[in-house]
Amino acid sequence: MKSNPNLLSQVNQLQTELAPIHETNKSLSHELSKSSERFVIALHGDNQAVWDWNLNTDEVYYSPLWKSMLGYEEDELENHLDTWKSLVHCDEQEAILEKVQNYISGRSDSFEVEMRLRHKQGYYVYIRSIALRVSKFSDSKPNRLVGYHVDISKHKRAELFTQKHTKILEMIAKGFPTSDIYNEIALMYENLYVGMRCSMLELEGDTLLHGGAPSLPQEYCDAVNGLKIGPNIGSCGTSTYTGKRVLVKILKPTPNGLQSNMSLFRIACVAVGRSQSSAPPVRY
């Protein structure tokens, strides 16, 4: 079979024209790899909440700031993917790992997620995580995922507060039971202020009645329900009596004082781990 001189000439010409394009692609890939490394180096040296995940071994470097953002010292968390899995909210882990796989495989062009990570004290911190895939060679698949965390809790809690407020107004308009509305109001403030446990009380004559306390045990609700208001009846009783905000330092009850209302109030506070109680009066 004879070769076609014209066809061979066209092929050679095409190869000549494509050669610069191929070299340009190689150069761009090399520059992208260098940019990725510069990004990684900059993160590690800029006191950021950095994480650096070895995709082959699942070892993860968590920077000191990453750990302190969750209330931990540098030596309190192991440098492994299992650490993150144990801290991330269970409702979000699967979806985040799916996004990781999509980004690593090239099905998505960027990686940015929001998540909740559990603080050492038990509450959740709202986090925005941004990452970049890194390859050992410009033409190889990623072997690391490097990113950083930003604490967005203040913004998220304000956003949730607005959503809760709208929900409460809708509940009032639809005639929901008062106890349900009180519980939602309590949860609205608990979500806004980390560590707060809220109790809603009504005043009938000179007596406080339990309204709602979704995060407090029944012992607490029973202790404050039926209290007569007065100048020395816990934070709630005193606040309602004086019309002023009251902050009380909770002391552990003594065995010989268990029958007083104040002692019952103290027992309830200690039982739920509260060291202080603040009561602002609300008039309507």
Side-chain angles (χ1 to χ4, degrees):
M1 184 176 180
K2 295 183 178 180
S3 59
N4 188 327
N6 291 331
L7 181 59
L8 288 175
S9 176
Q10 292 175 4
V11 170
N12 289 333
Q13 182 178 354
L14 181 60
Q15 288 178 335
T16 301
E17 293 174 351
L18 289 176
I21 297 176
H22 179 65
E23 288 300 319
T24 299
N25 286 338
K26 285 178 63 178
S27 177
L28 288 174
S29 296
H30 180 65
E31 285 301 317
L32 181 60
S33 179
K34 286 173 63 178
S35 296
S36 298
E37 286 298 329
R38 284 195 293 267
F39 173 78
V40 172
I41 293 170
L43 280 182
H44 279 271
D46 197 29
N47 194 30
Q48 298 286 338
V50 177
W51 53 275
D52 189 340
W53 178 6
N54 185 319
L55 298 173
N56 298 321
T57 66
D58 278 343
E59 289 180 291
V60 186
Y61 166 77
Y62 303 108
S63 72
L65 184 57
W66 192 102
K67 295 176 181 178
S68 67
M69 192 177 284
L70 301 177
Y72 291 94
E73 297 295 332
E74 189 172 356
D75 60 349
E76 289 187 282
L77 294 175
E78 292 188 13
N79 291 324
H80 197 275
L81 183 62
D82 288 341
T83 294
W84 174 83
K85 288 182 176 180
S86 70
L87 295 172
V88 69
H89 196 285
C90 59
D91 293 343
E92 299 166 349
Q93 182 181 136
E94 185 176 345
I96 293 171
L97 290 176
E98 183 178 350
K99 288 185 177 182
V100 168
Q101 291 304 318
N102 288 339
Y103 180 56
I104 292 173
S105 64
R107 291 193 294 270
S108 60
D109 296 327
S110 62
F111 181 82
E112 180 174 342
V113 296
E114 291 185 4
M115 69 182 85
R116 287 169 290 176
L117 293 178
R118 191 176 65 254
H119 193 276
K120 187 178 180 179
Q121 294 182 3
Y123 62 87
Y124 280 96
V125 179
Y126 290 87
I127 296 292
R128 177 175 290 119
S129 185
I130 303 169
L132 180 71
R133 57 194 172 216
V134 178
S135 302
K136 189 172 183 179
F137 303 104
S138 59
D139 57 349
S140 63
K141 66 178 184 179
N143 68 319
R144 291 162 64 196
L145 196 62
V146 182
Y148 61 95
H149 282 178
V150 178
D151 186 342
I152 58 171
S153 297
K154 186 176 181 179
H155 167 75
K156 292 296 292 187
R157 294 188 191 284
E159 184 180 288
L160 291 172
F161 185 86
T162 300
Q163 293 173 4
K164 280 281 188 184
H165 188 265
T166 301
K167 179 181 178 181
I168 290 166
L169 293 178
E170 291 175 353
M171 292 174 68
I172 294 172
K174 293 177 180 178
F176 274 66
T178 304
S179 59
D180 292 348
I181 295 172
Y182 279 153
N183 283 336
E184 285 298 326
I185 293 174
L187 289 172
M188 179 176 68
Y189 282 101
E190 289 179 1
N191 287 333
L192 184 63
Y193 299 106
V194 173
M196 172 185 279
R197 295 296 178 265
C198 188
S199 173
M200 306 295 295
L201 299 170
E202 288 187 341
L203 179 64
E204 186 173 298
D206 62 351
T207 303
L208 291 173
L209 300 177
H210 170 69
S215 302
L216 294 170
Q218 192 60 43
E219 293 89 343
Y220 179 92
C221 300
D222 292 341
V224 296
N225 187 49
L227 281 179
K228 299 292 184 180
I229 65 173
N232 296 300
I233 309 298
S235 58
C236 298
T238 304
S239 172
T240 310
Y241 180 81
T242 62
K244 299 178 181 179
R245 179 187 293 270
V246 173
L247 179 64
V248 176
K249 180 74 173 180
I250 304 301
L251 303 175
K252 291 185 178 181
T254 56
N256 60 356
L258 295 179
Q259 301 306 314
S260 71
N261 285 333
M262 190 61 181
S263 291
L264 289 172
F265 180 75
R266 286 172 175 169
I267 293 169
C269 289
V270 172
V272 296
R274 302 297 98 186
S275 61
Q276 288 184 336
S277 175
S278 174
V282 178
R283 295 184 176 88
Y284 58 91

